[in-house]
Amino acid sequence: TARSFKKRTITTLTVWIMFMDNQAIIETLRGWQNAILVRQEVHFKTAHKFEKLHYAVGLPATVLAAITSATIFTKLNQDLTTNTKYWVASISLLAGIFSAVQTFYSYVKRSESNRSIAPQLGQVHRQIGILILFLPTNPAELEQKITKINETLSQITAAAPTIDLPPQSPPGSSGSGSSGSGGGGGGDSSSRRY
């Protein structure tokens, strides 16, 4: 059940804090910060991508709809030639397709959902930084603060839209720039979706 899982997680965290020295705890927290920075950057980039797609699809839809409307409005009292009818119908069809794509994929909503997650991740990043600066000497207080950060991060991640995270280097590899003891989140070298 969820309650027993939470109890086991807190118990595991208590044991982890009891047997780790402050330097190992700080390295783990810095690993969390690095993972948060990666997620934050991916959410910002994804938001920007969807914003560009919104304009790339929305502007042509608007322009084509305006051209169709203007053509029909100016030709109300005149008979349209067959070519003009085909052009107006084609432009109208394209405008409809662009509008349907924009509505179906809802790029604005997707952009905003990614953009709203990034500052929340930044706030957790700052909380971890403050915790590192003022690391409590009392293990119970340290456990409480780490548990709160972990719960906040879990809530943000659960509410976040799915993103493609870049591949990670295994801890201790030459690409990570660390001495091998940092905790950056698993050491999986394949691209992951979260």
Side-chain angles (χ1 to χ4, degrees):
T1 65
R3 187 174 284 168
S4 66
F5 175 75
K6 186 173 183 179
K7 185 177 178 182
R8 278 184 283 152
T9 303
I10 292 173
T11 305
T12 305
L13 186 59
T14 305
V15 171
W16 176 74
I17 289 172
M18 287 174 41
F19 290 107
M20 290 186 79
D21 63 349
N22 283 350
Q23 189 59 36
I25 292 171
I26 289 171
E27 286 183 27
T28 301
L29 291 172
R30 286 198 174 123
W32 286 11
Q33 280 187 308
N34 291 337
I36 287 171
L37 282 177
V38 168
R39 285 176 183 267
Q40 188 177 22
E41 182 180 355
V42 171
H43 278 291
F44 272 130
K45 286 181 178 180
T46 304
H48 184 67
K49 177 183 82 170
F50 285 133
E51 187 176 7
K52 287 184 351 185
L53 285 170
H54 167 71
Y55 287 116
V57 173
L59 286 176
T62 304
V63 170
L64 292 173
I67 290 171
T68 303
S69 300
T71 304
I72 291 173
F73 183 72
T74 58
K75 304 288 184 176
L76 275 178
N77 293 331
Q78 304 170 6
D79 287 333
L80 297 176
T81 65
T82 305
N83 280 343
T84 305
K85 288 179 185 178
Y86 285 131
W87 278 106
V88 169
S90 298
I91 291 172
S92 177
L93 181 64
L94 280 174
I97 290 170
F98 278 119
S99 295
V101 166
Q102 187 175 17
T103 301
F104 182 75
Y105 287 110
S106 59
Y107 293 127
V108 171
K109 182 180 175 188
R110 294 169 80 180
S111 174
E112 286 304 316
S113 64
N114 277 287
R115 193 175 311 281
S116 69
I117 291 296
Q120 295 175 41
L121 290 170
Q123 183 180 15
V124 173
H125 184 271
R126 289 186 298 279
Q127 289 173 353
I128 293 172
I130 291 169
L131 179 61
I132 290 171
L133 286 174
F134 303 106
L135 196 67
T137 54
N138 181 352
E141 183 182 355
L142 179 60
E143 177 185 357
Q144 179 186 13
K145 290 184 179 206
I146 290 176
T147 301
K148 183 179 178 190
I149 288 172
N150 188 37
E151 288 173 356
T152 303
L153 191 56
S154 294
Q155 290 171 354
I156 292 170
T157 305
T162 302
I163 56 173
D164 287 324
L165 291 176
Q168 289 184 329
S169 301
S173 70
S174 60
S176 68
S178 69
S179 61
S181 58
D188 182 7
S189 62
S190 63
S191 180
R192 298 172 305 165
R193 291 180 62 91
Y194 290 95

